[in-house]
Amino acid sequence: MSHLHELVKSADWKSEKHVPVIDAPDTAKADEWTVISATVGKEIAHPNTTEHHICWIALHYAPEGSPVSYELGRFEFSAHGQSAKGANQGPAFTDSTVTIRAKLLSSGRLFATAYCNIHGLWESGKSITIA
Ligand code: FE
């Protein structure tokens, strides 16, 4: 193995809890804000404990024909029950879902990547048409 991308896993999100689910319209307008969400554990809940949790989700956008992707945003989930009292004794747990707004000026593909502290990197994609 010589490249990181060889370790980025993908699967059907309905049967694999690590795959980020992208919720975005199939079609949007270039001059309007488009709401884009990404969630890990939408169908099958992923653990959210001090020992096992989703650390972050990042959203990328690849315009059709573009040789590069553009990062739309990245969100770190920092509270997983940790505290001075011990693991899972803390007062806060952030869940692995994020929603952003973006203006996309051409059709392309959205990508979400998610990182589990135990099970590594996962990705998914969804095409979007800009009318
Ligand atoms: Fe995991």
Side-chain angles (χ1 to χ4, degrees), residues 16-18 40 46-47 52-54 115-120 122:
E16 170 48 63
K17 63 179 177 279
H18 288 94
V40 172
H46 184 277
H52 184 192
H53 52 261
I54 300 301
Y115 178 66
C116 168
N117 69 321
I118 303 272
H119 300 108
W122 296 78

Side-chain angles (χ1 to χ4, degrees), residues 11-22 42-44 124:
D12 182 349
W13 61 267
K14 290 180 180 173
S15 57
E16 170 48 63
K17 63 179 177 279
H18 288 94
V19 178
V21 180
I22 299 171
K42 184 169 182 174
E43 185 77 11
I44 306 168
S124 66

